[in-house]
Amino acid sequence: MTKIYPKLYVGPMSKLCVDAVIEHNADSSEKLGLLPSRRQVETEMLGGGYVNSWTTEIFSQYVLSSEGTIIQRDHAGPSQGSSQDDGKDSLFSDIDAGIKLLHIDPWKKYKSIQAACDSTFDLMEKCLERNSDTKFEVGTEEAIRPMSSRDVEKFLKLLKNKSEDVFKAIVYGVVQSGTSVIEDRNIGDFNPDKSREMCEIVKDYGLLTKEHNCDYLTPSQIRQRMKCGVDSFNIAPEFGVTQTKILLDLLEMNDSVKERKDFIKKCVDSEKWVKWMLPGKKDDLFLAQICGHYNFTSKEAKKCYSSLHEDYSLDKIVKETFRKRFSEILCVLQE
């Protein structure tokens, strides 16, 4: 790969998260990528997304107006947005908005390797017709469709056999390691043999390796994956949870009792925490911490922001916390 791609991609969990990435990239030679899912940021014709009410068009303009930040669409494809669709309108809007790196992920709809391969190739081909400079990531994460090393090899072989010219536009292949994100932690048993085998296969096809769901990993856990051959890492919900915890702590320090209570209730009632929970009863505060980022644009959240006086600078504390975490991870990735 002649182009240098980021080693760390951050989900745009909030405007503060996006601003922290942009500010980091302005100050550092080791760039971060931004990784919006379709639910977070979506084209205007499909209703926009929940993060800062951003459409693809407005988000891209906001980010790309500052040099040095790559946007990669995460989990593009059929049924990955808020409604059942074939994913093409969303992808074409991405390309038209200047997003040149797209993760093609039809695995939510298609579980067989052949069907997923056919859909991946069809979408890639149509994107290249729209803009021949478009690049791709292929494959999916463990939470959507667990893959064995043999599955990955079969998928990449089928894809390459369809067209070597189209295959050359692929930058990343997704690798899995046996872990996933739940609540506010990374669970499962890291399988170094699986990780190493997948990385070797993906690299044999001339691609970079990318692991999803790397939230909450310690430096030593990141090093383990690097030793197996993982080139790049995705982190998303961790930053949303971090910002929510900071917000709720500041509200408590500021004696914003009603605003804090109303926001917690809004989060619990939204039920956006359901997909992130292990079985068992959890208190409302914990549920709110896990899903607060889905509710940052609510009227309840806006009242929280307004109630905080200048001694409790949410923006400053959140961005400093994010940038400290960016630096911690990048220090490891630069070793």
Side-chain angles (χ1 to χ4, degrees):
M1 298 291 172
T2 55
K3 182 179 177 67
I4 298 176
Y5 288 92
K7 295 178 180 178
L8 175 61
Y9 288 81
V10 175
M13 311 310 294
S14 67
K15 184 177 181 296
L16 287 179
C17 187
V18 171
D19 288 343
V21 168
I22 292 172
E23 290 170 16
H24 166 90
N25 286 347
D27 297 337
S28 175
S29 59
E30 188 70 31
K31 306 301 184 186
L32 305 174
L34 279 168
L35 193 77
S37 70
R38 289 186 58 190
R39 287 181 173 82
Q40 291 168 337
V41 176
E42 182 62 283
T43 180
E44 184 177 10
M45 75 171 74
L46 296 176
Y50 71 79
V51 176
N52 203 40
S53 301
W54 266 322
T55 65
T56 303
E57 295 77 13
I58 294 174
F59 174 77
S60 297
Q61 185 178 29
Y62 184 83
V63 173
L64 298 178
S65 63
S66 302
E67 293 184 9
T69 302
I70 287 179
I71 302 173
Q72 181 189 355
R73 169 62 76 188
D74 197 25
H75 299 295
S79 304
Q80 291 282 10
S82 298
S83 59
Q84 300 296 315
D85 66 357
D86 61 12
K88 291 175 185 174
D89 286 339
S90 181
L91 279 164
F92 293 161
S93 295
D94 288 345
I95 294 168
D96 293 346
I99 300 177
K100 297 179 180 179
L101 181 58
L102 308 170
H103 175 207
I104 305 296
D105 185 0
W107 296 88
K108 189 173 182 181
K109 181 176 181 180
Y110 302 106
K111 299 303 181 184
S112 81
I113 294 174
Q114 184 66 63
C117 175
D118 292 342
S119 178
T120 298
F121 179 79
D122 176 62
L123 292 172
M124 286 171 51
E125 195 172 42
K126 285 181 169 55
C127 288
L128 289 168
E129 290 171 1
R130 192 84 168 193
N131 187 328
S132 61
D133 292 332
T134 307
K135 302 298 181 184
F136 303 99
E137 175 180 332
V138 298
T140 195
E141 64 189 49
E142 203 140 353
I144 294 175
R145 205 282 196 182
M147 305 275 279
S148 67
S149 300
R150 184 175 296 179
D151 290 336
V152 170
E153 185 163 25
K154 180 179 178 181
F155 172 65
L156 293 177
K157 183 177 181 179
L158 287 169
L159 204 52
K160 187 173 184 178
N161 286 344
K162 283 180 173 290
S163 169
E164 291 204 11
D165 287 338
V166 172
F167 195 87
K168 288 176 183 176
I170 303 173
V171 173
Y172 288 110
V174 180
V175 295
Q176 301 177 3
S177 69
T179 63
S180 60
V181 176
I182 200 76
E183 297 184 353
D184 58 353
R185 51 204 166 106
N186 206 296
I187 67 167
D189 295 317
F190 174 65
N191 186 332
D193 292 335
K194 179 179 181 178
S195 178
R196 190 176 299 107
E197 287 173 8
M198 282 198 175
C199 288
E200 288 174 356
I201 290 165
V202 170
K203 289 176 186 290
D204 282 346
Y205 278 86
L207 308 180
L208 296 173
T209 57
K210 178 104 85 72
E211 184 167 343
H212 292 221
N213 299 320
C214 295
D215 307 71
Y216 308 110
L217 294 180
T218 64
S220 64
Q221 289 172 324
I222 293 170
R223 287 189 190 96
Q224 286 180 315
R225 287 158 172 78
M226 290 171 64
K227 288 178 182 178
C228 292
V230 179
D231 296 307
S232 294
F233 299 78
N234 287 358
I235 296 179
E238 174 184 337
F239 294 109
V241 172
T242 296
Q243 181 170 333
T244 304
K245 288 180 177 180
I246 292 171
L247 172 61
L248 292 170
D249 285 348
L250 290 179
L251 290 168
E252 186 172 35
M253 292 168 61
N254 194 55
D255 293 326
S256 299
V257 178
K258 183 178 188 309
E259 291 84 358
R260 187 174 185 269
K261 180 180 178 181
D262 289 347
F263 180 64
I264 290 173
K265 184 176 187 305
K266 171 66 177 177
C267 293
V268 173
D269 291 348
S270 75
E271 297 190 343
K272 295 294 186 180
W273 47 268
V274 172
K275 65 175 282 190
W276 299 107
M277 285 295 129
L278 289 168
K281 185 173 177 56
K282 307 294 191 302
D283 65 38
D284 286 354
L285 174 61
F286 186 65
L287 299 179
Q289 289 172 341
I290 298 304
C291 74
H293 56 278
Y294 294 99
N295 299 281
F296 282 162
T297 59
S298 66
K299 65 180 182 180
E300 290 83 0
K302 291 174 182 176
K303 288 180 179 178
C304 291
Y305 309 146
S306 298
S307 75
L308 293 173
H309 59 70
E310 60 185 16
D311 291 340
Y312 299 103
S313 174
L314 177 70
D315 291 19
K316 181 180 178 182
I317 295 170
V318 167
K319 287 195 286 186
E320 286 179 350
T321 303
F322 286 167
R323 293 193 65 176
K324 182 178 179 181
R325 177 62 167 154
F326 299 160
S327 296
E328 176 187 54
I329 298 168
L330 288 173
C331 282
V332 179
L333 297 180
Q334 291 169 335
E335 291 177 355

